[in-house]
Amino acid sequence: MPKSAIDPIKLERLAEVAIEVGVNLQEGQNLIVTSPMSALPFARLVAAAAYKKGARDVTFLFNDDEIALARYRHGSEAALDGAPEWLFKGFAEGLENNAARMAISAANPTLLSEQDPDKVSRVNRANLAAAKPAMKYISNFDINWSIAAYPSAPWAKQVFPDLPEEEAIEKLADAIFAASRIDNNDPVAAWAKHNAELQSRSDWLNEMRFDALHFTGPGTDLTVGLADDHLWTGGSAPSKNGVTCNPNIPTEEVFTTPHAQRVNGVVRSTKPLAHLGTIIDGIEVRFEDGKIVEAKATKGEAVFLKMISSDEGASRLGEVALVPHSSPISQTGILFYNTLFDENAACHIALGQCYAECIVDGHHLSKEQIVEKGGNQSIIHVDWMIGSAEIDIDGIKHDGTPVPVFRKGEWAH
Amino acid sequence: MPKSAIDPIKLERLAEVAIEVGVNLQEGQNLIVTSPMSALPFARLVAAAAYKKGARDVTFLFNDDEIALARYRHGSEAALDGAPEWLFKGFAEGLENNAARMAISAANPTLLSEQDPDKVSRVNRANLAAAKPAMKYISNFDINWSIAAYPSAPWAKQVFPDLPEEEAIEKLADAIFAASRIDNNDPVAAWAKHNAELQSRSDWLNEMRFDALHFTGPGTDLTVGLADDHLWTGGSAPSKNGVTCNPNIPTEEVFTTPHAQRVNGVVRSTKPLAHLGTIIDGIEVRFEDGKIVEAKATKGEAVFLKMISSDEGASRLGEVALVPHSSPISQTGILFYNTLFDENAACHIALGQCYAECIVDGHHLSKEQIVEKGGNQSIIHVDWMIGSAEIDIDGIKHDGTPVPVFRKGEWAH
């Protein structure tokens, strides 16, 4: 990968922002980082930034595209159901002992597009099941964590297929830097201001205490009931260990927990989704009492159908998120094929696991108590985009009164 | 790294030999591989070979030189005593559940030579302490495991400092292929023959039941008492899980467990030793009742002295190994700065932990029973070379009778 394509000063600043603003790594804390091999130059800068902030130990778990493909190309049946349970048990042990966690997002969005969707789904299910003991520390928000992005060559080539590789990387790097608020002499102050803005949006929604949101637009007429005692959040938030972090760099969304039993109507996706190394596009589903009862997609339908049958909760909502169409990421006009970016360019919903922090006092509730309030449970959590300039949203009060929330894709209040 | 420098057919064959002969990976078995980042091209071939042999899951733990150096360059005091305990707990869990283990040896031998030896020693001690729960499965030979080598650029440059990088890599690759018996149409058969030869050497030594070995040569007059019920072994051996593997590719040694309390005299090293990214050379030590009581080195003395004071057992022997001076690796005349090769070019001793499999029925003995028979215990196990064309070795029988074992560096019986 040509080093010259990425501004080294900005890349170093991105690593610092990821550690200071994203993870908010504490002195003496361990850090566990997952990273594609293709992001190695950035991983090294993250290691330096973390040690400068006083990390006790920084350990990386790298995943490599070629090694991932070897399982499909050469693996036996056993390999399709195999996963490193031991690694995730260790991972869970680290998080249990208050390690912070960072993920570098840089994956090749179409790595597995040539593979049999049945096999892709089996491998993913095995991996999710193995990862469960570790991932609950993330979904419970027990520790401070963050995801930040690096413009790897395979990703950049997918986003800008018509550009020469070096130019594609440079262009994706620029978009990542702008969205991550690195184009700025004081990124930390820029993030503080941005977090305050997202907080004021959340505050308003929390004051309104809507019973449901009603989305309307082309192909969409969807009522998303909200969980009892749901809580809107966005930007930075305190994790259970007391450390306030920004889980996503960048982020433009405010989001909450829908009610797993009270979602009804139809919805059409507005952007393609890169999931398990395959592009899924043109999703249309119908919900009845919270559950998807009809589903199709114009592209990647087999992978989508496999995904929503991963478990009982995989066909119910675990998140609903509001993002104005005028968001800076949306304004770039780039389709990133990466949820970290695309979900911050449009309103979206997620199938699968809900976030405990999106329910009042959720950190102190048992799984059963969260389920009772309508919080969904699943091994998956997959966001997909339903927002556009043509979407209107009303908040529905408990007495049935509608309140305009979005008009033509923009905040209306 | 220029791909053309390494014969791709031979490299693939090396990966297959590592998996089939080295690890002897079983169908449905998990495999845990540790690898320097600089060996990534070989790691990918190992993944393919392992999946072809029916692996259930193959997971790599990569270590990167730049990330390792970041701890020294930017780390706080806490970082010098920090290690990923969580990762090793997971590693131990994997081995407990019968995962096989492979290590790719390709490290830069002088990575840490510019770092403060105190810091290097602290980091290493923290890492060894953290690794202990996992490493006991190796030292107990609970599972099948193996180490094989890859000619990484930083290693090749150290071995052939006067050659251009590409030529250095090619030359090191050729030496690795020859020593690993890949230069051959049927490497599996070649390994079977070699293992039989090493077995017959071990059988003779086991029949002789020597009380001690007496090494004499320039700067060396050392009597190494052997552990009660010691057992000589070499080449392939069955691990406790019933799988016969070749722990080292290549290997030329037969070795056993010395008596930790019965080593006396002086010994001088005959080759430099690359340890913790530093070269140690010209070691001279005196043993009294098993323990080093005087020690010096002409190069890397600080690192050597730190090493032997790691714990009580670090200044006592855990292994003695016999390798004729005419061994193929010795005949290359190359100094590899890598124990996997250099220890197979000369007789050597190892300070630190003994191997349970080098005591009769050792797999079924408790740690206390092994200690009682003279088996040493330590967090370290560091081999260094004491053999040359000028070394004579006598086996000393229990009645004091000497029996010639080596004369002028060669087998004498």
Side-chain angles (χ1 to χ4, degrees), chain A residues 115-123 125 306:
Chain A
Q115 305 304 320
D116 173 356
D118 277 340
K119 291 186 177 180
V120 172
S121 168
R122 273 173 72 180
V123 170
R125 202 159 48 225
K306 284 274 166 200

Side-chain angles (χ1 to χ4, degrees), chain A residues 1 14 33 70 80 90 151 185 189 214 217 222 264 275 296 332 373 394:
Chain A
M1 204 215 55
L14 178 60
V33 189
L80 298 175
N185 280 330
H214 182 212
L222 183 73
N264 285 285
H275 178 67
K296 59 182 179 178
T332 63
K373 288 177 190 289
D394 282 333

Side-chain angles (χ1 to χ4, degrees), chain B residues 257-311:
Chain B
T257 294
H259 196 296
Q261 315 291 333
R262 298 202 294 109
V263 179
N264 285 284
V266 294
V267 61
R268 181 187 291 171
S269 67
T270 53
K271 282 176 190 281
L273 160 68
H275 178 66
L276 298 184
T278 298
I279 307 296
I280 303 172
D281 201 7
I283 302 170
E284 290 193 33
V285 302
R286 189 163 68 80
F287 285 90
E288 231 176 68
D289 296 336
K291 194 175 170 64
I292 292 177
V293 291
E294 284 171 34
K296 59 183 179 179
T298 55
K299 198 174 168 188
E301 182 175 283
V303 173
F304 183 73
L305 296 179
K306 284 276 163 195
M307 178 187 98
I308 65 175
S309 59
S310 301
D311 60 16

